[in-house]
Amino acid sequence: MASLSSSVASRSYCSGYSASISPVDGNHRHRSLSFLSASPHDFCLRFQRNSGRASVFMQDGAIIANSNSTESKSSLKGLKDEVLSALSQEAAKVGVESDGQSQSTVSITVVGASGDLAKKKIFPALFALYYEDCLPEHFTIFGYSRSKMTDAELRNMVSKTLTCRIDKRANCGEKMEEFLKRCFYHSGQYDSQEHFTELDKKLKEHEAGRISNRLFYLSIPPNIFVDAVKCASTSASSVSGWTRVIVEKPFGRDSETSAALTKSLKQYLEEDQIFRIDHYLGKELVENLSVLRFSNLIFEPLWSRQYIRNVQFIFSEDFGTEGRGGYFDNYGIIRDIMQNHLLQILALFAMETPVSLDAEDIRNEKVKVLRSMRPIRVEDVVIGQYKSHTKGGVTYPAYTDDKTVPKGSLTPTFAAAALFIDNARWDGVPFLMKAGKALHTRSAEIRVQFRHVPGNLYNRNTGSDLDQATNELVIRVQPDEAIYLKINNKVPGLGMRLDRSNLNLLYSARYSKEIPDAYERLLLDAIEGERRLFIRSDELDAAWSLFTPLLKEIEEKKRIPEYYPYGSRGPVGAHYLAAKHKVQWGDVSIDQ
């Protein structure tokens, strides 16, 4: 897929046409642009260098576009824009003439359809989008995997995970039935061009001559990403619309393997066709982070080292690896959670105001944050691993008790780290990350602890140490999504007694509409070509360059993790790390 072809094909109105660009005076070499077409509607764009005049002609000689803008047409981009504008106008006419035959359709292929992710997340998210009328009028869903299965068997498998959790505006059973009729299956190997060619034939049958846009979701192990992309690109990509590929993490294990994966993918795809998904960026409260900051005057002036003492990103799960230890042991908690989920949220939190809400403007600012970060020192990191623990007569297993985990494994299931951003806004502010499995609770939250009030009157008058009770903004990503601000307040009564109270926005109380799953938002964005919540290759490079030296030192020196009981708050070392930077973890205080 050449760069020009992919960028042109990303607009549905471009399909079905061919174009040539030739100089009027005949003194320059002929240049042509292919629009991947079998259509009789041909165009010719002529550009006269001396006058700067550009014209787009139909094959019969009719002029359909004229321009005198010398500056913009002196480049390939200018020429291409002129052609696209002409094609857009003509495609609209053709659409009327062909009685709807040129309408576009979206074909979504879930590669790895028999896996847990597909069954538990992707198909339910697609159904939720269909239930909400967010999918195009013409769409088809294909499952593709090595398992032998019929269309009916796929539908039966998918139906078991579908729920009508959204407000019922229509009959749930009818909607499910209609959705399942759009689901089909094709069995094949992930590295077989022949099998992907067969898939292509089936897709074309369902596309019925319409402009075809194709989305491939790679719900497969990373070691077969490239094979699947190669086959999809060469044997099953769209020749009349766009082709996009969603890639699930992990994106490599370190800088070297990540760069190799990116290089391999770009042999078959352009960067704007690759959608690297981090489902945490699709969480409602994460997406609300920039809204909270940039649209509320009370927060934006406070968002700096002058008022913020520290920022904490906390992720905890109350269960262990539970049978997927083989996968987890190869990556560990730092790669699995910190290098992607938490670091992406940190970049969104700390970035400067982007020029616009355009995907590239936002991602540019995120990259600046990542490149400004100080290398992580091993002394600023604590790693742990959960051990067996008996509570209430129930014995919970250790990490190494999992049969899929190698005996004697030192892979961390917990990590805490202090990171710093060396720029004018955040100089000296510790950004603390903490992530772990088999902890006392399941949660994900951002905690912003503000500095104490200088010369506070009430320290002296009441004897209360309000330095320990500073304002704190908490953004709870999951569960029970909420935003609340901790403030100091007078307790009602004749005396002067203060306590901490919350100004609370609990989403379930404020909004009756159920919050969409992150996969719903990200799938819809991929279909619509919205990239701001997906990771660009230079973001990925910057993230890995930050964590790769740390991971190598931990693994090469075989650093032994600190063991903590299953169901506890994690290793004691995490509290010493926070204290070292004059911070107290917000999730362990009495009034958390």
Side-chain angles (χ1 to χ4, degrees):
M1 297 183 188
S3 174
L4 185 56
S5 297
S6 67
S7 61
V8 170
S10 69
R11 294 172 170 84
S12 60
Y13 55 69
C14 300
S15 64
Y17 301 96
S18 63
S20 64
I21 300 177
S22 55
V24 173
D25 58 13
N27 295 326
H28 301 280
R29 187 175 60 185
H30 177 81
R31 301 165 66 190
S32 68
L33 298 176
S34 171
F35 285 87
L36 305 173
S37 167
S39 167
H41 298 278
D42 292 331
F43 295 87
C44 177
L45 187 149
R46 295 179 182 171
F47 175 61
Q48 193 167 352
R49 294 178 185 272
N50 294 336
S51 65
R53 188 176 188 81
S55 300
V56 182
F57 293 85
M58 285 293 293
Q59 194 172 36
D60 60 8
I63 298 177
I64 61 172
N66 245 327
S67 174
N68 289 311
S69 174
T70 304
E71 183 178 352
S72 65
K73 303 305 178 291
S74 61
S75 65
L76 179 60
K77 183 180 184 302
L79 295 173
K80 186 178 76 174
D81 289 345
E82 188 72 23
V83 176
L84 291 177
S85 176
L87 292 178
S88 176
Q89 298 170 33
E90 186 63 20
K93 298 176 186 176
V94 174
V96 175
E97 295 168 4
S98 61
D99 193 25
Q101 287 303 306
S102 67
Q103 291 182 41
S104 65
T105 180
V106 174
S107 299
I108 303 166
T109 302
V110 181
V111 182
S114 59
D116 277 353
L117 178 64
K119 289 187 284 189
K120 293 178 181 177
K121 290 292 185 181
I122 302 171
F123 285 112
L126 288 169
F127 172 64
L129 291 174
Y130 174 70
Y131 194 94
E132 287 283 89
D133 295 323
C134 292
L135 292 180
E137 179 185 354
H138 302 289
F139 77 91
T140 306
I141 298 171
F142 259 86
Y144 183 100
S145 68
R146 291 175 294 204
S147 305
K148 297 295 181 182
M149 203 184 308
T150 63
D151 292 346
E153 288 170 332
L154 172 77
R155 290 165 185 165
N156 182 55
M157 178 192 79
V158 170
S159 67
K160 294 176 182 177
T161 61
L162 301 186
T163 58
C164 289
R165 59 166 185 73
I166 306 167
D167 297 336
K168 297 176 176 56
R169 292 188 300 275
N171 182 277
C172 180
E174 288 179 7
K175 280 286 190 179
M176 277 191 189
E177 206 170 301
E178 292 167 7
F179 175 77
L180 291 171
K181 286 178 181 176
R182 307 279 194 109
C183 297
F184 302 89
Y185 185 77
H186 184 74
S187 175
Q189 297 296 316
Y190 300 126
D191 59 353
S192 170
Q193 294 202 15
E194 180 185 350
H195 292 164
F196 272 89
T197 300
E198 293 168 1
L199 171 67
D200 179 60
K201 291 177 182 177
K202 287 187 178 182
L203 291 174
K204 285 177 179 175
E205 289 175 12
H206 291 279
E207 289 161 353
R210 298 184 181 92
I211 296 169
S212 68
N213 298 310
R214 295 182 180 179
L215 176 66
F216 292 87
Y217 195 121
L218 302 189
S219 178
I220 52 178
N223 61 310
I224 49 179
F225 279 171
V226 177
D227 288 338
V229 165
K230 176 183 178 181
C231 293
S233 173
T234 56
S235 303
S237 63
S238 171
V239 295
S240 59
W242 50 254
T243 299
R244 296 171 186 152
V245 178
I246 296 178
V247 184
E248 273 277 354
K249 75 175 183 72
F251 312 116
R253 296 187 77 255
D254 50 30
S255 292
E256 185 178 344
T257 55
S258 175
L261 176 61
T262 297
K263 183 179 179 180
S264 297
L265 291 177
K266 287 187 176 182
Q267 289 179 0
Y268 310 104
L269 300 170
E270 297 299 322
E271 175 64 30
D272 63 4
Q273 294 178 282
I274 304 170
F275 287 68
R276 298 174 188 84
I277 192 171
D278 183 334
H279 72 274
Y280 256 74
L281 294 182
K283 298 278 187 183
E284 184 69 35
L285 271 292
V286 174
E287 187 159 16
N288 193 40
L289 189 58
S290 57
V291 176
L292 184 73
R293 174 182 169 189
F294 296 126
S295 69
N296 292 289
L297 185 60
I298 60 170
F299 289 124
E300 174 56 22
L302 305 180
W303 225 257
S304 72
R305 62 189 295 274
Q306 186 175 355
Y307 297 101
I308 293 177
R309 185 169 60 166
N310 69 83
V311 186
Q312 302 173 19
F313 302 91
I314 300 170
F315 174 95
S316 65
E317 291 179 335
D318 56 1
F319 54 89
T321 53
E322 298 183 347
R324 60 186 290 269
Y327 161 81
F328 183 85
D329 197 73
N330 193 40
Y331 291 94
I333 198 73
I334 296 177
R335 291 184 178 91
D336 196 39
I337 302 297
M338 296 180 79
Q339 182 272 338
N340 41 71
H341 297 335
L342 297 188
L343 190 62
Q344 283 292 317
I345 296 173
L346 183 154
L348 275 173
F349 178 95
M351 70 180 184
E352 296 298 319
T353 308
V355 173
S356 73
L357 291 177
D358 181 76
E360 298 312 305
D361 290 333
I362 291 173
R363 298 196 289 189
N364 287 343
E365 295 303 330
K366 287 169 63 184
V367 170
K368 288 178 187 177
V369 171
L370 296 174
R371 289 177 175 169
S372 299
M373 296 188 74
R374 191 183 303 172
I376 305 172
R377 302 185 308 162
V378 176
E379 308 89 73
D380 284 332
V381 177
V382 171
I383 59 173
Q385 187 185 102
Y386 64 87
K387 62 182 180 180
S388 179
H389 179 59
T390 302
K391 184 178 180 181
V394 179
T395 300
Y396 297 92
Y399 171 67
T400 50
D401 290 338
D402 187 327
K403 293 179 181 178
T404 61
V405 173
K407 293 298 178 186
S409 171
L410 299 178
T411 299
T413 61
F414 176 98
L419 296 86
F420 294 87
I421 303 171
D422 290 334
N423 63 18
R425 182 181 291 272
W426 299 112
D427 184 40
V429 176
F431 286 78
L432 271 66
M433 285 184 183
K434 181 168 67 170
K437 289 184 171 294
L439 296 174
H440 69 296
T441 187
R442 171 181 172 267
S443 71
E445 57 188 22
I446 306 164
R447 289 179 172 264
V448 185
Q449 295 185 348
F450 293 91
R451 297 190 182 279
H452 66 80
V453 177
N456 195 314
L457 294 172
Y458 293 97
N459 276 358
R460 185 180 306 158
N461 291 0
T462 65
S464 301
D465 186 3
L466 293 183
D467 284 355
Q468 299 300 317
T470 57
N471 300 128
E472 184 176 25
L473 175 66
V474 181
I475 301 169
R476 191 193 301 144
V477 178
Q478 69 177 30
D480 303 323
E481 292 87 348
I483 300 171
Y484 56 96
L485 178 64
K486 294 184 178 184
I487 63 167
N488 298 309
N489 191 57
K490 178 184 177 296
V491 177
L494 297 177
M496 179 58 72
R497 187 163 64 89
L498 276 65
D499 73 353
R500 285 231 282 184
S501 301
N502 292 342
L503 298 178
N504 193 351
L505 169 58
L506 183 64
Y507 269 54
S508 60
R510 174 65 180 84
Y511 302 105
S512 58
K513 188 176 178 66
E514 189 161 349
I515 296 174
D517 183 77
Y519 281 91
E520 295 170 34
R521 174 175 286 109
L522 294 169
L523 276 164
L524 184 59
D525 281 355
I527 291 169
E528 294 180 344
E530 172 57 68
R531 296 174 175 81
R532 62 195 171 84
L533 297 179
F534 294 89
I535 302 168
R536 204 167 61 189
S537 60
D538 55 344
E539 281 184 78
L540 195 58
D541 293 343
W544 275 122
S545 66
L546 188 64
F547 275 95
T548 295
L550 169 70
L551 288 164
K552 282 189 175 179
E553 186 165 354
I554 289 173
E555 290 166 355
E556 288 175 0
K557 293 185 176 179
K558 298 187 182 299
R559 188 173 170 188
I560 298 173
E562 182 181 341
Y563 296 98
Y564 61 96
Y566 192 117
S568 69
R569 291 181 178 273
V572 176
H575 301 284
Y576 286 112
L577 173 66
K580 172 183 172 183
H581 296 283
K582 299 179 181 178
V583 174
Q584 181 180 6
W585 291 108
D587 63 331
V588 298
S589 61
I590 296 174
D591 61 343
Q592 60 182 294

